[in-house]
Amino acid sequence: MQVFVYKNEAEVGKAAGMIVASEILKKPDCILGLATGSTPIPTYQEMIRMNKEGILDFSKVRSFNLDEYIGLSPEHVCSYRRFMNEQLFDHINIDKANTHVPCGIGADHEADAKAYDAAVEAAGGIDLQILGIGHDGHIGFNEPGDEFVSGTNIVTLTDMTIDANTRFFEKREDVPRQAITLGNRNIMAAKRIILLATGKGKARAIAQAIKGNITPKMPASLLQVHPNVQFLLDEDAASEL
Ligand code: PGA
C-alpha cells in the first residue's frame, strides 16, 4: 500500500487523473471501475479536460460503476447512472454502451447482482478501480459488518451513510435504504486500486483503514492486503495518520 498526500482536493484530482490517463495510454480498451460521490468529481473534471484537449481517448474504454440505489431508475435525478452521465460520460467520447451501472429497479435484485458479477468477469475484470471511502469506512456500498461480503450484493445502508448522502436529496426520508454494490471480492480482484479521500470528515476512517486492524467492521482496511493500491489524500483526510 502506498499513501500520497496532496495539498487539496484539486491536487488529488490532478494526480488521480494522471493515473487514469496512464492506464488508458497503456491499454486503450482498459476497464475502469468508477465511483460516485463528491470525492471523484475533480478527477472526472481532469479526465474531461484531457479528453477535450485531445490527450485522452475514451472511445475503447469500458467501465463498471461500483453501485446504485435500489429503487431509483436510471433517469432519477439522484441515481448514480444519472450522476455518471452528468459528471463524466456526457462530456467525454466514451461509448455509453460500454458503461455499466448496476440496475436498481429490476424485479429480482439477486439475479441482477449475479448478472453484474458475470459481466465484470466476462469483460476480463477491472484494470483500475477508483474508490472513495465512507465516513464509516465503506468501499462501494459495502458497509461495516461481521464478515467481508464477496460478490455483487444487496446492502442496507447505515444511518451514517444515509446522513452523509442526504445532501444529494431533498430530505433524509428520500434517501433509499438499500443499494446494489460490487462486493469486496470484486474490488480486491481489480489489478490496481486508487482510493481517494478529501476533507477532515474522512480523517478517522482513513487512519483506521491504513493503520488499524483488518476487519469487516472497517471495510476499507481490507485494502491493506491488496498488492497494488494507492491512497491519494488531501492534507485534511491525512490529518490523523
Ligand atoms: P463522498 O462519498 O465522495 O461523497 O464523500 C464517498 C463514499 O461514500 O464512498
Side-chain angles (χ1 to χ4, degrees), residues 36-40 132-135 138-141 165 167-168 202:
T36 50
S38 305
T39 314
I133 184 170
H135 296 85
H138 70 215
I139 47 176
F141 262 140
N165 290 6
R167 71 188 193 282
F168 294 111
K202 299 291 173 65

Coordinates of all heavy atoms in Angstrom, one line a residue, residues 36-40 132-135 138-141 165 167-168 202, ligand 1:
T36 N -19.0 7.0 -7.5 CA -19.8 8.2 -7.4 C -19.5 9.0 -6.1 O -18.6 8.6 -5.4 CB -21.3 7.9 -7.5 OG1 -21.6 6.9 -6.5 CG2 -21.7 7.4 -8.9
G37 N -20.2 10.0 -5.8 CA -20.0 10.8 -4.6 C -19.2 12.1 -5.0 O -18.8 12.2 -6.2
S38 N -19.0 12.9 -4.0 CA -18.3 14.2 -4.3 C -16.8 14.0 -4.6 O -16.3 14.8 -5.4 CB -18.4 15.1 -3.1 OG -19.8 15.3 -2.7
T39 N -16.2 13.1 -3.9 CA -14.7 13.0 -4.0 C -14.2 12.8 -5.4 O -13.2 13.5 -5.7 CB -14.3 11.8 -3.0 OG1 -14.9 11.9 -1.8 CG2 -12.8 11.9 -2.8
P40 N -14.7 11.9 -6.2 CA -14.1 11.8 -7.5 C -14.4 12.9 -8.5 O -13.8 12.9 -9.6 CB -14.6 10.4 -8.0 CG -15.9 10.2 -7.3 CD -15.8 11.0 -6.0
G132 N -13.9 5.8 -3.5 CA -14.0 6.7 -2.4 C -14.0 5.9 -1.1 O -13.8 4.7 -1.1
I133 N -14.3 6.6 0.0 CA -14.5 5.9 1.3 C -15.6 6.6 2.1 O -15.7 7.8 2.0 CB -13.1 5.9 2.1 CG1 -13.3 5.1 3.4 CG2 -12.6 7.3 2.4 CD1 -11.9 4.8 4.1
G134 N -16.4 5.8 2.7 CA -17.5 6.4 3.5 C -16.9 6.8 4.9 O -15.9 6.4 5.3
H135 N -17.7 7.7 5.5 CA -17.3 8.1 6.9 C -17.2 6.9 7.8 O -16.4 6.8 8.8 CB -18.3 9.1 7.5 CG -18.3 10.4 6.7 ND1 -19.1 10.5 5.6 CD2 -17.6 11.5 6.9 CE1 -18.9 11.8 5.1 NE2 -18.0 12.4 5.9
H138 N -16.9 2.4 4.6 CA -17.4 1.6 3.5 C -16.6 1.9 2.2 O -16.1 3.0 1.9 CB -18.9 1.7 3.3 CG -19.4 3.0 2.7 ND1 -20.6 3.6 3.1 CD2 -18.9 3.9 1.8 CE1 -20.8 4.7 2.4 NE2 -19.8 4.9 1.6
I139 N -16.5 0.8 1.4 CA -16.0 1.0 0.0 C -17.0 0.4 -0.9 O -17.6 -0.7 -0.6 CB -14.6 0.3 -0.2 CG1 -14.5 -1.1 0.4 CG2 -13.5 1.2 0.4 CD1 -13.2 -1.8 0.1
G140 N -17.3 1.1 -2.1 CA -18.5 0.8 -2.7 C -19.6 1.1 -1.7 O -19.5 2.1 -1.0
F141 N -20.6 0.3 -1.6 CA -21.6 0.5 -0.5 C -21.5 -0.7 0.5 O -22.4 -1.0 1.1 CB -23.0 0.6 -1.1 CG -23.5 2.0 -1.2 CD1 -24.3 2.3 -2.3 CD2 -23.3 2.9 -0.2 CE1 -24.8 3.6 -2.4 CE2 -23.8 4.2 -0.4 CZ -24.6 4.6 -1.5
N165 N -25.4 11.1 2.8 CA -25.9 11.2 1.4 C -27.2 12.0 1.3 O -27.7 12.3 0.2 CB -26.1 9.8 0.8 CG -24.8 9.2 0.5 OD1 -23.8 9.7 0.9 ND2 -24.8 8.0 -0.1
R167 N -27.5 15.0 1.6 CA -27.2 16.3 1.0 C -27.6 16.2 -0.5 O -27.8 17.2 -1.2 CB -25.8 16.7 1.2 CG -24.7 15.9 0.4 CD -23.3 16.3 0.9 NE -22.3 15.8 0.1 CZ -21.8 14.5 0.1 NH1 -22.3 13.7 0.9 NH2 -20.8 14.2 -0.7
F168 N -27.6 15.0 -1.1 CA -27.9 14.9 -2.5 C -29.4 14.9 -2.8 O -29.9 14.9 -3.9 CB -27.3 13.6 -3.1 CG -25.8 13.6 -3.1 CD1 -25.1 12.8 -2.3 CD2 -25.1 14.5 -3.9 CE1 -23.7 12.8 -2.3 CE2 -23.7 14.5 -4.0 CZ -23.0 13.6 -3.1
K202 N -13.1 12.6 6.7 CA -12.7 11.3 6.3 C -11.4 10.9 7.1 O -11.0 9.7 6.9 CB -12.4 11.2 4.8 CG -13.6 11.5 3.9 CD -14.6 10.4 4.0 CE -15.9 10.7 3.2 NZ -15.7 10.8 1.8
Ligands
PGA1 P1 -18.3 11.1 -1.0 O1 -18.7 9.5 -0.8 O2 -17.2 11.1 -2.0 O3 -19.5 11.8 -1.4 O4 -17.8 11.5 0.3 C1 -17.7 8.6 -0.7 C2 -18.4 7.2 -0.4 O5 -19.4 7.2 0.2 O6 -17.8 6.2 -0.8

